[in-house]
Each structure stands twice: as structure tokens, then as C-alpha cells.
């Protein structure tokens, strides 16, 4: 695994990270602009998603059609996403086209057109996404679970709300760009086959005279952890359970992550074995560790029939409580094998690595190479994970259910 990750912080605060993968013929980038949904006004949920959509409809010297044409001509496979902290633009292309692709995306964050004649088309696209959420009970359940688990505004969904999206104006979007698109706080991650001196010089040329502006810190409000039921006429019930954990930057993060890996992640993991295989309670069950900058959580989901929903919730909570008793050596061995496979596959993907190093810098102030991550995984032991679980047993549950009947949260019943 390649241990070298270059890092350059420009005078205006923009950070460039670059991991060489010279065996590839491609290069990828991830550009994180500090304009995520945590920075939206309370009555403008969905503004970041709207802004992301509009910034991709022409920038710099290119109108919307020319923007798409030029990226297609370079063969850029692109995507975008909105998180609580960032609007993220990503792309992958042949190594020789990387710098030209970055020049186009420099215009996206520095000089987006935000054209008024495409406002309603963008609004319609967002409203369709919101309707899709209403038609997906599992996604709706987990959106509400994150909203209740995290302190506001960190659990805010990027899709926003229908009334807010309908009310957003062109001035709202342009104000969001002016306030939150700035070099200080922007992170550019690059991975693949590139020349570091040429990349550093080009990024300095594209972004170096971008003026920094004062950053905005969202006002945090306490989490509304509670039991919530969303009435939904159906023969199925969707169950979401969350409990607090440590964020990515915490020294114990990998111990917490390892414990969750024993719960979920494969057909031999505890939740699948107990709820689906042994008891036949559900057709879907999983748990994931999720983190925002200063908060973490373990988020569990299960879908089952309405008739067996209460039993499913009881057994799910019982398994979470049983986790505090510790993990076994054979469980840890399976977990490590699975993680190592994921790390090896990530070594083969410039897109995955560009995103990983950019996000690592956001959370840690530095980026770890795959070799360092592998050492952290190797350092996990049954004793270290169990010591963590004794100090931080699953507790303080947030529960969201969606289905025909409200369920009871009964700890200690299985």
C-alpha cells in the first residue's frame, strides 16, 4: 500500500490532498465545499441540495449545455452529493484529463451562473426526490432517526421539506453561495496517476486568488432523542434504533466501529443470525456506525411484518444490550478479514481514495494512508473492544417506527 499522501495548504486556506496511485491510468477528485445542509436557515431545508443542482447548470464561460459537453469530451464520470457539512463534487477521468477537469470545477465553486431560467426545472427535480422519499418507507424511517438522534442541525436531511423547497428563491441560493462557497474550509482530494508538482501548480492557478470569507458556525441545539411513531397503513413495519457513539476523530473510534462490525456486516453477524436466521423475524436487518464532525451514532434498521414488529423490536434491543457483554475472538477474526478485503479493494479505486482522504482531513486535520488504516485494524483486539464496550455500552436509545401500530420500547425483553 502506498504510504505517501501529499498535502498543500494555500494562502487562502484551501487544502489540496493527493495520493499517488501510479499503477492506474486514471485519476479522480473530490471537492468538498463547506456549504452542507447544517448551514441552511431553519425555514429553508433543502437549500444546499437546491444550490448543488443550480451550480451545475453553467459556470465560468460555459452555459449549462457547454458545461456538460466539455465534461463529456474529457470523459469525466461525475457525481455530486450533499452532506450535513459539505456540498461534494466528484469526478474521475483519464490521468491526462485531470487538470482540465479541475479547471471546470474551479468555475463551479467560484463562478456558478445560478441561471434564473433554470430555477423551476431544478425545483421540480428536488420535489420529485422528496416524493421518492415518501414512497420509500425505509429511507423515511432512517431520515427521521438521524433527525432525532443528532443535535440540530447535524441530523437535518439534505432533501429538505416540500414547503421549504417550494419557497426557496434565486436570492436564497445566491446568498448561500456567497456565504459558504469560500476557499477556507474547502478541501480537494485527488487520487490516481498524476504529477504532484504540476497538480500543485495548477490548483494554485485555478484557486489561489479565490478570496476567503469569514466562516459561519451553526448554532447547535440538543438532540430530541425519543420514541417516535409514524403512522403508515401497511402490512409491514419499519424499525429504526440509534444510540450514541464516538465520532471519527475520537481515539476509540475503531473500537466502536469494530463492535458494530460484529453486530452487522455479513450473514454470520449477530443481528442477521439472531433476527433473521434463527427466529425468522424479518427480511432486512443491519447496523452501521455513522459520524458527523463532533458526534457519532450507531444506526440500526429492520423491516418486518406488522404482526411480528413488537417481537422484532424486542429482540433487536436485546441484541444491542447483549453487545455490552463483549465480543468473541472468532467474531473479531471474521471482522478483520472483511475490513482487509475492503481496504484492498479501495486501493484499486481512485474515486474511493479521493473521497476518503478529503473526508479524513475534514475529520482529523490530516489524511491517513491505507497502510496506517490497516495497522489500526490489525491493532483491534477482543480485549480492546470489550474494554470499550464496558465503558460505553449501548444505551440512551432513539427509536423510530413506521407502520400501522405504535410499538413499545421494552428493554430486557427478548
Amino acid at each position: 500500500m502506498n504510504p505517501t499522501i501529499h498535502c498543500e495548504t494555500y494562502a487562502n486556506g484551501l487544502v489540496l490532498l493527493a495520493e499517488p496511485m501510479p499503477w492506474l491510468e486514471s485519476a479522480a477528485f473530490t471537492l468538498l465545499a463547506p456549504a452542507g445542509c447544517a448551514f441552511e436557515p431553519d425555514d429553508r431545508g433543502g437549500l444546499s441540495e437546491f444550490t448543488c443542482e443550480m451550480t451545475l447548470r453553467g459556470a465560468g464561460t460555459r452555459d449549462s449545455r457547454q458545461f456538460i459537453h466539455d465534461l463529456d469530451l474529457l470523459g469525466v464520470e461525475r457525481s455530486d452529493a450533499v452532506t450535513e457539512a459539505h456540498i461534494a463534487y466528484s469526478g474521475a477521468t483519464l490521468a491526462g484529463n485531470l487538470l482540465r477537469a479541475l479547471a471546470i470545477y474551479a468555475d463551479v465553486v467560484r463562478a456558478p451562473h445560478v441561471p434564473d431560467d433554470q430555477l423551476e426545472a431544478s425545483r421540480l427535480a428536488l420535489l420529485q426526490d422528496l416524493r421518492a422519499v415518501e414512497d420509500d418507507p425505509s429511507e423515511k424511517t432512517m431520515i427521521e432517526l438521524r433527525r432525532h438522534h443528532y443535535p440540530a442541525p447535524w441530523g437535518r436531511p439534505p432533501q429538505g421539506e416540500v414547503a421549504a423547497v417550494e419557497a426557496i428563491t434565486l436570492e436564497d441560493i445566491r446568498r448561500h453561495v456567497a456565504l459558504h462557497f469560500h476557499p477556507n474550509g474547502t478541501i480537494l482530494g485527488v487520487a490516481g496517476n498524476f504529477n504532484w508538482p504540476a497538480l500543485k501548480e495548477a490548483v494554485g492557478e485555478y484557486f489561489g486568488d479565490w478570496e476567503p470569507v469569514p466562516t459561519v458556525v451553526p448554532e447547535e441545539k440538543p438532540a430530541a432523542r425519543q420514541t417516535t411513531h409514524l403512522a403508515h397503513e401497511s402490512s409491514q413495519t419499519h424499525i429504526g434504533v440509534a444510540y450514541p457513539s464516538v465520532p471519527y476523530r475520537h481515539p476509540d473510534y475503531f473500537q466502536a466501529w469494530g463492535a458494530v462490525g460484529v453486530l452487522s456486516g455479513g450473514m454470520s453477524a449477530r443481528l442477521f443470525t439472531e433476527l433473521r436466521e434463527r427466529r425468522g423475524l424479518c427480511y432486512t436487518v443491519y447496523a452501521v456506525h455513522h459520524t458527523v464532525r463532533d458526534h457519532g451514532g450507531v444506526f440500526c434498521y429492520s423491516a418486518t411484518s406488522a404482526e411480528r414488529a413488537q417481537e422484532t423490536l424486542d429482540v433487536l434491543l436485546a441484541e444491542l444490550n447483549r453487545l455490552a457483554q463483549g465480543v468473541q475472538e472468532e467474531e473479531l477474526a471474521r471482522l478483520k478479514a472483511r475490513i482487509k478485503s475492503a481496504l484492498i479493494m479501495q486501493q484499486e479505486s481512485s474515486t474511493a481514495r479521493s473521497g476518503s482522504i478529503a473526508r479524513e482531513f475534514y475529520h482529523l486535520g490530516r489524511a491517513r494512508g491505507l497502510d496506517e488504516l490497516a495497522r489500526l485494524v490489525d491493532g483491534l483486539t477482543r480485549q480492546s473492544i470489550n474494554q470499550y464496550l464496558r465503558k460505553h455500552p449501548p444505551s440512551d436509545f432513539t427509536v423510530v417506527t413506521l407502520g400501522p401500530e405504535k410499538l413499545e420500547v421494552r428493554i430486557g425483553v427478548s
Side-chain angles (χ1 to χ4, degrees):
M1 296 181 183
N2 194 329
T4 304
I5 298 177
H6 301 288
C7 182
E8 178 75 12
T9 301
Y10 296 88
N12 59 8
L14 183 135
V15 174
L16 167 65
L17 303 150
E19 183 170 33
M21 303 172 78
W23 56 91
L24 299 178
E25 295 184 7
S26 64
F29 63 89
T30 298
L31 181 60
L32 301 181
C37 55
F39 300 96
E40 299 166 346
D42 290 342
D43 62 348
R44 288 295 185 267
L47 177 58
S48 295
E49 193 84 48
F50 213 146
T51 301
C52 180
E53 173 76 18
M54 287 291 286
T55 56
L56 295 170
R57 292 179 177 253
T61 60
R62 300 170 178 87
D63 62 14
S64 182
R65 186 181 297 275
Q66 191 66 42
F67 174 78
I68 293 170
H69 175 270
D70 287 357
L71 288 174
D72 286 346
L73 202 61
L74 294 173
V76 180
E77 295 184 4
R78 51 203 182 268
S79 63
D80 54 84
V82 175
T83 68
E84 75 288 338
H86 298 105
I87 295 178
Y89 306 96
S90 300
T93 186
L94 293 174
N97 293 336
L98 172 65
L99 299 185
R100 283 179 288 174
L102 287 176
I104 294 174
Y105 274 89
D107 284 340
V108 169
V109 294
R110 297 193 59 182
H113 292 179
V114 191
D116 56 1
D117 64 341
Q118 298 196 38
L119 181 70
E120 294 311 317
S122 294
R123 193 192 314 276
L124 186 59
L126 267 66
L127 291 172
Q128 288 174 341
D129 287 344
L130 282 168
R131 293 189 192 99
V133 170
E134 287 299 314
D135 292 336
D136 188 340
S138 61
E139 185 174 3
K140 187 173 181 179
T141 300
M142 299 310 285
I143 284 173
E144 289 304 313
L145 186 62
R146 286 189 292 272
R147 193 200 302 270
H148 285 88
H149 171 79
Y150 283 125
W154 300 108
R156 182 178 291 163
Q159 298 92 337
E161 308 288 343
V162 170
V165 170
E166 289 177 338
I168 289 171
T169 66
L170 204 64
E171 289 69 32
D172 291 327
I173 296 169
R174 288 175 174 163
R175 186 182 305 114
H176 196 68
V177 169
L179 285 174
H180 303 294
F181 279 51
H182 42 71
N184 43 318
T186 294
I187 304 168
L188 173 60
V190 175
N193 193 335
F194 58 84
N195 177 277
W196 168 242
L199 174 64
K200 183 170 65 171
E201 182 180 353
V203 171
E205 178 185 341
Y206 302 154
F207 296 93
D209 61 350
W210 192 11
E211 291 293 328
V213 300
T215 58
V216 177
V217 178
E219 180 183 353
E220 191 170 292
K221 300 174 184 176
R225 291 177 186 151
Q226 59 190 33
T227 299
T228 302
H229 177 68
L230 306 174
H232 180 72
E233 288 303 319
S234 172
S235 60
Q236 299 174 340
T237 294
H238 301 263
I239 299 168
V241 177
Y243 61 90
S245 188
V246 295
Y248 190 75
R249 62 172 57 196
H250 194 281
D252 288 334
Y253 171 80
F254 277 85
Q255 313 302 325
W257 188 50
V260 177
V262 168
L263 271 180
S264 180
M267 296 177 68
S268 57
R270 289 189 183 185
L271 293 182
F272 186 93
T273 300
E274 187 63 28
L275 276 80
R276 178 167 172 169
E277 201 168 70
R278 290 181 182 164
R279 303 196 187 216
L281 286 171
C282 58
Y283 52 89
T284 303
V285 63
Y286 66 81
V288 295
H289 194 290
H290 183 268
T291 180
V292 296
R293 183 111 183 230
D294 296 312
H295 306 278
V298 177
F299 292 81
C300 310
Y301 169 80
S302 184
T304 184
S305 65
E307 293 78 12
R308 306 199 71 182
Q310 184 63 61
E311 184 182 1
T312 300
L313 177 58
D314 291 343
V315 176
L316 175 57
L317 291 171
E319 283 300 307
L320 296 181
N321 281 303
R322 187 168 75 86
L323 185 63
Q325 299 172 18
V327 304
Q328 302 303 312
E329 202 65 53
E330 62 272 18
E331 293 178 312
L332 181 59
R334 288 195 297 267
L335 171 68
K336 285 187 174 183
R338 201 167 63 245
I339 295 171
K340 285 291 184 68
S341 295
L343 288 174
I344 290 170
M345 286 187 284
Q346 200 175 109
Q347 189 184 19
E348 300 171 356
S349 170
S350 57
T351 300
R353 287 305 297 159
S354 73
S356 292
I357 60 177
R359 290 189 295 271
E360 282 240 329
F361 190 91
Y362 168 68
H363 285 285
L364 301 176
R366 70 183 188 94
R368 295 183 285 210
L370 288 169
D371 57 336
E372 185 177 353
L373 292 171
R375 287 196 297 271
L376 288 168
V377 173
D378 284 335
L380 290 174
T381 66
R382 177 172 173 263
Q383 290 73 24
S384 67
I385 293 175
N386 290 345
Q387 182 180 12
Y388 169 82
L389 287 170
R390 284 193 294 273
K391 292 181 180 178
H392 306 280
S395 62
D396 192 14
F397 297 112
T398 302
V399 179
V400 173
T401 58
L402 185 151
E405 299 292 338
K406 185 176 181 180
L407 307 181
E408 295 181 45
V409 177
R410 305 185 298 194
I411 306 297
V413 177
S414 64

